Amino acid sequence: MSIKTLCASLALGVALLSAPVTGFAAEDEIVAKVNGDAITRVQLNYFASELGERLNSVPAEQRDSILIEQMVARHLIAQAAAKLKLEKTKEFASRQDFYRLRALQEVYLSKVIGATITDAALKKTYEEGLARIEPETEIRARHILVKTEDEAKAISKELEGGADFIELAKKKSIGPSNVNGGDLGYFGKGQMVPPFAEAAFALKAGGVSKPVKTRFGWHVIKVEDIREKPAPTFEDIRESMRQALLRNQAIETVAKLRKDAKVEIIKK
């Protein structure tokens, strides 16, 4: 079994670090109470971390109220379970052991490994990555998509006669970009099907292609602009770099700890 496979169990803990939890304040803010039991801001932060990207679909102004309602439900069920003395069962004990293990793992990832991921380390990784990026040309183009070659040829003639490309795209293109005058935005060569990309990247800025056939139909393409693809900013990729460094360091940490550990696989 490889070290990477062994480290798969770290995935949840690392993922939860993508939404950092605020440390405990001297007096943590109480946001609600359920039969006297407090729900705190830190608990909401932990819950938000647990939900991760699923919370992104919830409008920011509604998140607190939704998290609080969910925590209220958890407290009500937990209180009902306590009345039945379910914390004395073997099932509760085994779950408690599991969640204690996970909590310790997450705190270690946050306090020990996460503490090493400084802004300086992230910026160094960013600068090293920038140095390895090869310049990539991308273009901004419009197209008019029709079903037949004859339709495409007719459009080419209209354009040669001075017709406005944007207006023709709005009236005659069957592609979803017709509402935007055929605008496809900026794209790299590998982002389009080969016949389309070859024809588009052969044009200069302002150039219009002859009819081009792809599996979608017949296209007439106009290149609006040609540029070198901008490098992502530090803020654009800061979090993804942080996660990558966390994963790498978690793998290295497990490898080191395993060397001095006695691990017995009882059943495969």
Side-chain angles (χ1 to χ4, degrees):
M1 184 180 292
S2 70
I3 291 297
K4 287 188 177 182
T5 301
L6 289 171
C7 289
S9 64
L10 293 173
L12 176 61
V14 171
L16 290 176
L17 292 175
S18 64
V21 175
T22 304
F24 284 97
E27 293 184 8
D28 188 20
E29 177 190 4
I30 295 175
V31 296
K33 288 185 178 181
V34 182
N35 295 323
D37 290 347
I39 297 173
T40 67
R41 172 63 56 185
V42 167
Q43 290 174 346
L44 288 192
N45 289 341
Y46 281 134
F47 190 22
S49 296
E50 184 180 298
L51 292 174
E53 292 183 358
R54 286 174 290 176
L55 202 56
N56 292 343
S57 61
V58 179
E61 65 275 10
Q62 297 178 18
R63 289 178 188 175
D64 265 11
S65 60
I66 288 175
L67 290 172
I68 289 170
E69 285 303 318
Q70 290 295 313
M71 285 297 295
V72 167
R74 286 189 173 193
H75 272 266
L76 289 170
I77 292 174
Q79 290 170 1
K83 287 181 180 179
L84 295 175
K85 302 187 184 302
L86 294 182
E87 42 200 313
K88 297 186 181 298
T89 63
K90 289 183 179 180
E91 182 179 355
F92 175 81
S94 63
R95 286 175 183 267
Q96 187 176 46
D97 286 344
F98 173 79
Y99 288 115
R100 176 181 177 277
L101 178 68
R102 193 176 83 171
L104 284 171
Q105 171 189 297
E106 292 167 8
V107 172
Y108 185 90
L109 287 169
S110 176
K111 295 293 186 182
V112 181
I113 298 179
T116 67
I117 312 300
T118 62
D119 276 351
L122 290 172
K123 286 177 181 176
K124 181 182 178 183
T125 301
Y126 174 73
E127 289 165 2
E128 290 173 349
L130 279 185
R132 292 193 296 269
I133 292 177
E134 295 184 7
E136 180 184 348
T137 298
E138 62 180 9
I139 64 175
R140 180 183 177 187
R142 297 179 185 273
H143 79 139
I144 299 172
L145 175 64
V146 291
K147 292 181 179 180
T148 68
E149 183 178 13
D150 286 342
E151 289 176 284
K153 286 181 176 178
I155 285 169
S156 291
K157 286 184 179 180
E158 288 189 63
L159 292 170
E160 289 170 5
D164 183 78
F165 194 99
I166 294 175
E167 291 306 315
L168 278 182
K170 288 179 178 179
K171 292 176 181 178
K172 299 191 175 183
S173 180
I174 60 173
S177 64
N178 55 9
V179 294
N180 298 319
D183 191 2
L184 297 170
Y186 284 96
F187 56 86
K189 197 169 185 178
Q191 292 176 259
M192 297 294 177
V193 291
F196 187 100
E198 291 296 332
F201 277 82
L203 297 169
K204 294 181 180 180
V208 177
S209 74
K210 293 181 179 179
V212 179
K213 185 181 181 181
T214 71
R215 66 175 182 269
F216 302 107
W218 287 84
H219 309 256
V220 177
I221 306 164
K222 180 180 180 181
V223 171
E224 297 279 2
D225 187 31
I226 301 173
R227 71 178 185 182
E228 185 177 300
K229 184 178 181 179
T233 67
F234 176 71
E235 291 302 326
D236 285 340
I237 60 174
R238 177 180 187 147
E239 189 55 33
S240 61
M241 288 191 301
R242 181 172 174 273
Q243 292 302 309
L245 288 175
L246 280 169
R247 284 192 296 271
N248 291 340
Q249 291 197 29
I251 289 170
E252 291 174 8
T253 298
V254 170
K256 290 176 183 177
L257 293 172
R258 191 176 174 84
K259 285 181 181 178
D260 298 324
K262 183 180 179 180
V263 179
E264 299 177 74
I265 308 300
I266 309 302
K267 185 176 181 180
K268 294 184 178 180

